Amino acid sequence: IHKAVCSPEKALEEMARVIVPGGHLILNVPAYPWLYSPHDTRVQNARRYDRKPLLGLIRASGLDVISCTHWNALIMPAVIAARFGKRMLGRTSSDLSVFRPGAGASICGALIAIERTFLRAAPLPFGVRTRADIASVGWIQTLHGSGGGRPSATSYASTAGT
């Protein structure tokens, strides 16, 4: 969540208030508070989230979770090594200070393309970021009329691996 967002709870409540019935949004946040580093400061992330507390915030705001997955999993070992290596050496520079456009961006793009293939089959259990697909409360009823015995969005999300 960007550093300009003082209260993620209030921001999510506002999203719940303004989203149209049947509306969807995607929340993409940095994962794992223990990965917080000068990189987050440089890109203006105020915080990182574990999955369960993030889902709790979303649901408490009155929104339904359709699905939730981590992503950027394939680069996670390199990110962990870089972040902890810098901590051990007492360095405070961002990961961006050593990133070089070109080959590095091409490699990251290729890894993300590979991850998309995995994501079509199942949510990823870990990754540097977390993505939640969110909808207004009652989105199933909006899509399917009165619901006709279909599960609620919350029960659907729990069966969808969230």
Side-chain angles (χ1 to χ4, degrees), residues 46-129:
R47 59 195 58 82
R48 291 180 158 268
Y49 289 91
D50 286 324
R51 186 176 163 193
K52 247 183 170 172
L54 175 64
L55 293 176
L57 278 174
I58 293 166
R59 290 182 176 124
S61 73
L63 293 164
D64 284 335
V65 178
I66 299 169
S67 66
C68 184
T69 186
H70 286 286
W71 68 285
N72 274 354
L74 296 177
I75 67 166
M76 192 165 178
V79 169
I80 291 171
R83 304 268 168 98
F84 282 99
K86 285 183 176 189
R87 284 180 194 164
M88 290 173 58
L89 297 172
R91 297 201 177 136
T92 58
S93 61
S94 165
D95 300 349
L96 294 177
S97 63
V98 296
F99 184 78
R100 302 287 180 253
S106 297
I107 292 168
C108 286
L111 292 173
I112 289 170
I114 292 167
E115 281 187 14
R116 273 196 303 262
T117 302
F118 294 128
L119 284 169
R120 287 186 190 108
L124 297 176
F126 63 88
V128 178
R129 299 194 65 85

Side-chain angles (χ1 to χ4, degrees), residues 130-152:
T130 303
R131 183 186 115 170
D133 297 329
I134 306 168
S136 59
V137 171
W139 65 277
I140 288 180
Q141 287 74 22
T142 302
L143 293 174
H144 302 289
S146 65
R150 295 181 187 275
S152 70

